[in-house]
Amino acid sequence: MKIQTVKCCRSSIFFLFLLLSFSLFAQEEGTWRQASPSSQAYHEYRLKNTIPPYGLVKIKALIAQIKDADDDSKSPLNQKAYLALPLNEKFTYHMIHAESYSQNCDVVPPIIDEDKKIFGILPDAFNESSWSERQANFLKSQKDAVVSLIKESVNRSKRVGLNYKTALVEMNATETIPFLIELYNRDHKDFDILTVLMLFMKNNEYKPFMISTSFVKLYGDKSDAQSFINYNKANEELIISRAIAFYNGRK
C-alpha cells in the first residue's frame, strides 16, 4: 500500500511539472496575445499604490528590521513597536506593508484592452499579501482619521492609489462617494474609482444596482476576478448616477 501511495505522489508531482512546463512554454511561444502598449500602461497605472509621507523613513526602517529578523518581509511588526507608533505612522505602515501572506501560483495571462474596461473587483494591492486582522481592525476602528489622511494625501497627489481604494472598500467608507466622483471627473482616467463605487453599492446591497444587468455580469454566478463591463459614456454615467442616488439615500 505504501508503494502505491509513493507512486501516486510521484505521478501527481510529474503531472504538475508537465503542467507548469506547458504553461511556461505557452508564454515563451507567444500563445497568449500580447496586450497593446496602452493596455500595458494602464495595467501599471492600476497597480500603483500611494506611499504616504508620514514617518516614511522610520517605517521603512522598521519593516527592514522585520525582514532581517524573520527573513520574511510579510511578518507583522512586534506589538510593542507597533503600539508606540502615532496614528499617522500606523497609517503609513498599513498602506505600504501587508502582514498576511497567501501564495498564489496561478499564471495569469495579460488582460487585453484593459484600458477599455471597468472591472467588478480591484486588483490585489499587495500582490500575494493582504492586511491581517490587526490591520483591518485598525482601518475600521480609526475610520474617520484614515479617511481624513487619505483625502489629505489624494489632494496632494491628485490620484487615489490602489491601496487607498482597497482601504476605502475595507472600511465601507461610503461617505467618500462625492469626493471620489469629483476626483474621477477631473480626467475620467481611473476606472477603478468606478469599481469602488460599484463595490460600495454591492456591499451595502443597494437594490437598484443589485437587480441591474451590470451586477449580474460583474458579480453573478458566472463572474470571476476579471469580469468587466465595457467603458463607455453611458456605463460611466449610469454608475455615477446610481452611486449618487445610493449616497443620497443612505440612513
Side-chain angles (χ1 to χ4, degrees), residues 5-55:
T5 302
V6 170
K7 286 182 178 178
C8 180
C9 290
R10 286 177 176 172
S11 298
S12 298
I13 292 170
F14 181 67
F15 174 77
L16 290 172
F17 174 77
L18 287 177
L19 184 62
L20 179 59
S21 298
F22 176 79
S23 297
L24 292 173
F25 176 79
Q27 294 177 63
E28 290 173 357
E29 292 298 306
T31 303
W32 289 341
R33 286 177 56 199
Q34 281 295 318
S36 67
S38 61
S39 181
Q40 293 179 44
Y42 184 64
H43 179 76
E44 294 299 320
Y45 176 83
R46 292 183 72 209
L47 296 182
K48 188 172 182 180
N49 286 336
T50 302
I51 309 301
Y54 318 106

Side-chain angles (χ1 to χ4, degrees), residues 37-213:
S38 61
S39 181
Q40 293 179 44
Y42 184 64
H43 179 76
E44 294 299 320
Y45 176 83
R46 292 183 72 209
L47 296 182
K48 188 172 182 180
N49 286 336
T50 302
I51 309 301
Y54 318 106
L56 183 58
V57 174
K58 173 183 172 182
I59 298 302
K60 283 185 173 180
L62 289 172
I63 293 171
Q65 290 173 16
I66 297 172
K67 187 172 183 178
D68 291 341
D70 298 336
D71 195 28
D72 182 2
S73 62
K74 299 305 178 186
S75 296
L77 184 65
N78 73 74
Q79 186 72 349
K80 183 178 179 181
Y82 175 77
L83 292 176
L85 296 174
L87 188 144
N88 62 349
E89 292 182 2
K90 285 189 177 81
F91 171 73
T92 297
Y93 171 74
H94 296 313
M95 290 303 110
I96 69 172
H97 180 77
E99 294 178 337
S100 293
Y101 177 72
S102 55
Q103 187 174 4
N104 181 7
C105 296
D106 293 339
V107 180
V108 181
I111 301 174
I112 305 302
D113 294 332
E114 193 166 354
D115 55 327
K116 300 175 183 177
K117 297 174 178 179
I118 305 170
F119 293 91
I121 297 175
L122 295 170
D124 290 335
F126 301 102
N127 197 10
E128 294 182 341
S129 300
S130 60
W131 283 314
S132 65
E133 183 178 357
R134 174 173 79 170
Q135 293 182 298
N137 287 339
F138 168 83
L139 293 173
K140 292 170 184 175
S141 64
Q142 302 296 332
K143 179 180 177 182
D144 290 345
V146 171
V147 167
S148 179
L149 288 169
I150 287 176
K151 285 184 174 181
E152 180 181 296
S153 178
V154 169
N155 283 330
R156 280 196 304 269
S157 64
K158 307 305 179 187
R159 69 155 297 177
V160 52
L162 176 56
N163 50 348
Y164 285 4
K165 297 187 191 86
T166 304
L168 293 174
V169 174
E170 179 73 28
M171 297 183 295
N172 194 34
T174 57
E175 66 273 24
T176 63
I177 288 174
F179 174 77
L180 290 172
I181 292 173
E182 180 184 357
L183 182 67
Y184 175 79
N185 283 335
R186 290 176 182 175
D187 56 19
H188 301 261
K189 180 180 178 180
D190 189 350
F191 303 152
D192 279 337
I193 292 177
L194 301 178
T195 300
V196 172
L197 299 179
M198 290 191 292
L199 286 170
F200 283 154
M201 292 188 282
K202 170 185 174 290
N203 294 343
N204 290 277
E205 299 183 350
Y206 180 55
K207 189 173 180 180
F209 179 62
M210 301 286 282
I211 64 174
S212 69
T213 303

Side-chain angles (χ1 to χ4, degrees), residues 228-240:
F228 68 92
I229 57 176
N230 291 320
Y231 169 75
N232 54 51
K233 200 66 178 175
N235 281 336
E236 174 189 271
E237 291 177 352
L238 185 58
I239 293 168
I240 291 174

